[in-house]
PDB file of all heavy atoms in Angstrom:
ATOM      1  N   SER A  32      -8.502  22.325  -2.572  1.00 93.00           N
ATOM      2  CA  SER A  32      -8.296  21.312  -3.634  1.00 93.00           C
ATOM      3  C   SER A  32      -7.179  20.301  -3.302  1.00 93.00           C
ATOM      4  O   SER A  32      -7.330  19.145  -3.621  1.00 93.00           O
ATOM      5  CB  SER A  32      -8.012  22.002  -4.999  1.00 93.00           C
ATOM      6  OG  SER A  32      -6.761  22.762  -4.917  1.00 93.00           O
ATOM      7  N   ALA A  33      -6.143  20.786  -2.680  1.00 94.00           N
ATOM      8  CA  ALA A  33      -5.077  19.863  -2.281  1.00 94.00           C
ATOM      9  C   ALA A  33      -5.574  18.868  -1.262  1.00 94.00           C
ATOM     10  O   ALA A  33      -5.248  17.648  -1.327  1.00 94.00           O
ATOM     11  CB  ALA A  33      -3.914  20.617  -1.634  1.00 94.00           C
ATOM     12  N   VAL A  34      -6.407  19.318  -0.300  1.00 93.00           N
ATOM     13  CA  VAL A  34      -6.951  18.382   0.713  1.00 93.00           C
ATOM     14  C   VAL A  34      -7.908  17.377   0.013  1.00 93.00           C
ATOM     15  O   VAL A  34      -7.920  16.195   0.326  1.00 93.00           O
ATOM     16  CB  VAL A  34      -7.730  19.169   1.823  1.00 93.00           C
ATOM     17  CG1 VAL A  34      -8.428  18.250   2.710  1.00 93.00           C
ATOM     18  CG2 VAL A  34      -6.732  19.979   2.602  1.00 93.00           C
ATOM     19  N   SER A  35      -8.691  17.905  -0.935  1.00 92.00           N
ATOM     20  CA  SER A  35      -9.615  17.017  -1.674  1.00 92.00           C
ATOM     21  C   SER A  35      -8.863  15.927  -2.382  1.00 92.00           C
ATOM     22  O   SER A  35      -9.258  14.766  -2.447  1.00 92.00           O
ATOM     23  CB  SER A  35     -10.490  17.800  -2.648  1.00 92.00           C
ATOM     24  OG  SER A  35     -11.297  18.713  -1.931  1.00 92.00           O
ATOM     25  N   ILE A  36      -7.757  16.311  -3.019  1.00 94.00           N
ATOM     26  CA  ILE A  36      -6.903  15.354  -3.784  1.00 94.00           C
ATOM     27  C   ILE A  36      -6.315  14.291  -2.762  1.00 94.00           C
ATOM     28  O   ILE A  36      -6.318  13.086  -3.099  1.00 94.00           O
ATOM     29  CB  ILE A  36      -5.786  16.037  -4.531  1.00 94.00           C
ATOM     30  CG1 ILE A  36      -6.450  16.862  -5.686  1.00 94.00           C
ATOM     31  CG2 ILE A  36      -4.826  15.070  -5.100  1.00 94.00           C
ATOM     32  CD1 ILE A  36      -5.453  17.788  -6.389  1.00 94.00           C
ATOM     33  N   LEU A  37      -5.866  14.743  -1.648  1.00 94.00           N
ATOM     34  CA  LEU A  37      -5.298  13.823  -0.674  1.00 94.00           C
ATOM     35  C   LEU A  37      -6.344  12.789  -0.189  1.00 94.00           C
ATOM     36  O   LEU A  37      -6.077  11.580  -0.081  1.00 94.00           O
ATOM     37  CB  LEU A  37      -4.774  14.589   0.580  1.00 94.00           C
ATOM     38  CG  LEU A  37      -3.464  15.363   0.305  1.00 94.00           C
ATOM     39  CD1 LEU A  37      -3.200  16.285   1.510  1.00 94.00           C
ATOM     40  CD2 LEU A  37      -2.308  14.441   0.095  1.00 94.00           C
ATOM     41  N   ILE A  38      -7.553  13.266   0.090  1.00 93.00           N
ATOM     42  CA  ILE A  38      -8.606  12.318   0.507  1.00 93.00           C
ATOM     43  C   ILE A  38      -9.020  11.366  -0.623  1.00 93.00           C
ATOM     44  O   ILE A  38      -9.183  10.173  -0.397  1.00 93.00           O
ATOM     45  CB  ILE A  38      -9.832  13.120   0.995  1.00 93.00           C
ATOM     46  CG1 ILE A  38      -9.509  13.994   2.211  1.00 93.00           C
ATOM     47  CG2 ILE A  38     -10.978  12.151   1.302  1.00 93.00           C
ATOM     48  CD1 ILE A  38      -9.024  13.200   3.397  1.00 93.00           C
ATOM     49  N   ARG A  39      -9.113  11.964  -1.864  1.00 93.00           N
ATOM     50  CA  ARG A  39      -9.458  11.069  -3.013  1.00 93.00           C
ATOM     51  C   ARG A  39      -8.409   9.954  -3.150  1.00 93.00           C
ATOM     52  O   ARG A  39      -8.749   8.783  -3.352  1.00 93.00           O
ATOM     53  CB  ARG A  39      -9.592  11.988  -4.267  1.00 93.00           C
ATOM     54  CG  ARG A  39      -9.958  11.192  -5.490  1.00 93.00           C
ATOM     55  CD  ARG A  39      -9.762  12.049  -6.697  1.00 93.00           C
ATOM     56  NE  ARG A  39      -8.328  12.304  -6.900  1.00 93.00           N
ATOM     57  CZ  ARG A  39      -7.844  13.285  -7.702  1.00 93.00           C
ATOM     58  NH1 ARG A  39      -8.621  14.096  -8.297  1.00 93.00           N
ATOM     59  NH2 ARG A  39      -6.539  13.427  -7.807  1.00 93.00           N
ATOM     60  N   ASP A  40      -7.109  10.380  -3.124  1.00 93.00           N
ATOM     61  CA  ASP A  40      -6.058   9.350  -3.299  1.00 93.00           C
ATOM     62  C   ASP A  40      -6.065   8.352  -2.189  1.00 93.00           C
ATOM     63  O   ASP A  40      -5.799   7.155  -2.462  1.00 93.00           O
ATOM     64  CB  ASP A  40      -4.711  10.098  -3.375  1.00 93.00           C
ATOM     65  CG  ASP A  40      -4.554  10.932  -4.639  1.00 93.00           C
ATOM     66  OD1 ASP A  40      -5.386  10.694  -5.547  1.00 93.00           O
ATOM     67  OD2 ASP A  40      -3.588  11.732  -4.674  1.00 93.00           O
ATOM     68  N   LEU A  41      -6.336   8.751  -0.944  1.00 93.00           N
ATOM     69  CA  LEU A  41      -6.423   7.830   0.136  1.00 93.00           C
ATOM     70  C   LEU A  41      -7.585   6.866  -0.045  1.00 93.00           C
ATOM     71  O   LEU A  41      -7.346   5.636   0.200  1.00 93.00           O
ATOM     72  CB  LEU A  41      -6.614   8.591   1.463  1.00 93.00           C
ATOM     73  CG  LEU A  41      -6.771   7.744   2.732  1.00 93.00           C
ATOM     74  CD1 LEU A  41      -5.510   6.875   2.973  1.00 93.00           C
ATOM     75  CD2 LEU A  41      -7.007   8.619   3.972  1.00 93.00           C
ATOM     76  N   GLU A  42      -8.745   7.312  -0.454  1.00 92.00           N
ATOM     77  CA  GLU A  42      -9.851   6.442  -0.687  1.00 92.00           C
ATOM     78  C   GLU A  42      -9.516   5.451  -1.837  1.00 92.00           C
ATOM     79  O   GLU A  42      -9.884   4.244  -1.731  1.00 92.00           O
ATOM     80  CB  GLU A  42     -11.115   7.269  -0.960  1.00 92.00           C
ATOM     81  CG  GLU A  42     -11.643   8.002   0.194  1.00 92.00           C
ATOM     82  CD  GLU A  42     -12.879   8.873  -0.127  1.00 92.00           C
ATOM     83  OE1 GLU A  42     -12.951   9.414  -1.237  1.00 92.00           O
ATOM     84  OE2 GLU A  42     -13.753   9.019   0.754  1.00 92.00           O
ATOM     85  N   ARG A  43      -8.896   5.999  -2.832  1.00 92.00           N
ATOM     86  CA  ARG A  43      -8.491   5.084  -3.971  1.00 92.00           C
ATOM     87  C   ARG A  43      -7.539   4.009  -3.504  1.00 92.00           C
ATOM     88  O   ARG A  43      -7.679   2.791  -3.869  1.00 92.00           O
ATOM     89  CB  ARG A  43      -7.975   5.892  -5.098  1.00 92.00           C
ATOM     90  CG  ARG A  43      -7.563   5.063  -6.364  1.00 92.00           C
ATOM     91  CD  ARG A  43      -6.813   5.835  -7.395  1.00 92.00           C
ATOM     92  NE  ARG A  43      -7.682   6.922  -7.888  1.00 92.00           N
ATOM     93  CZ  ARG A  43      -7.419   8.205  -7.908  1.00 92.00           C
ATOM     94  NH1 ARG A  43      -6.290   8.597  -7.344  1.00 92.00           N
ATOM     95  NH2 ARG A  43      -8.226   9.069  -8.399  1.00 92.00           N
ATOM     96  N   GLU A  44      -6.590   4.436  -2.684  1.00 91.00           N
ATOM     97  CA  GLU A  44      -5.593   3.408  -2.184  1.00 91.00           C
ATOM     98  C   GLU A  44      -6.210   2.349  -1.295  1.00 91.00           C
ATOM     99  O   GLU A  44      -5.890   1.179  -1.376  1.00 91.00           O
ATOM    100  CB  GLU A  44      -4.501   4.136  -1.367  1.00 91.00           C
ATOM    101  CG  GLU A  44      -3.256   3.311  -1.067  1.00 91.00           C
ATOM    102  CD  GLU A  44      -2.504   2.854  -2.270  1.00 91.00           C
ATOM    103  OE1 GLU A  44      -2.428   3.569  -3.297  1.00 91.00           O
ATOM    104  OE2 GLU A  44      -1.964   1.698  -2.246  1.00 91.00           O
ATOM    105  N   ILE A  45      -7.159   2.770  -0.412  1.00 90.00           N
ATOM    106  CA  ILE A  45      -7.770   1.833   0.463  1.00 90.00           C
ATOM    107  C   ILE A  45      -8.846   1.013  -0.238  1.00 90.00           C
ATOM    108  O   ILE A  45      -9.075  -0.187   0.040  1.00 90.00           O
ATOM    109  CB  ILE A  45      -8.413   2.571   1.672  1.00 90.00           C
ATOM    110  CG1 ILE A  45      -7.317   3.193   2.556  1.00 90.00           C
ATOM    111  CG2 ILE A  45      -9.270   1.697   2.527  1.00 90.00           C
ATOM    112  CD1 ILE A  45      -7.861   4.026   3.703  1.00 90.00           C
TER     113      ILE A  45
END
Side-chain angles (χ1 to χ4, degrees):
S32 61
V34 172
S35 297
I36 291 171
L37 288 171
I38 297 300
R39 183 194 65 199
D40 290 346
L41 177 61
E42 290 178 327
R43 181 185 298 122
E44 189 66 34
I45 294 176

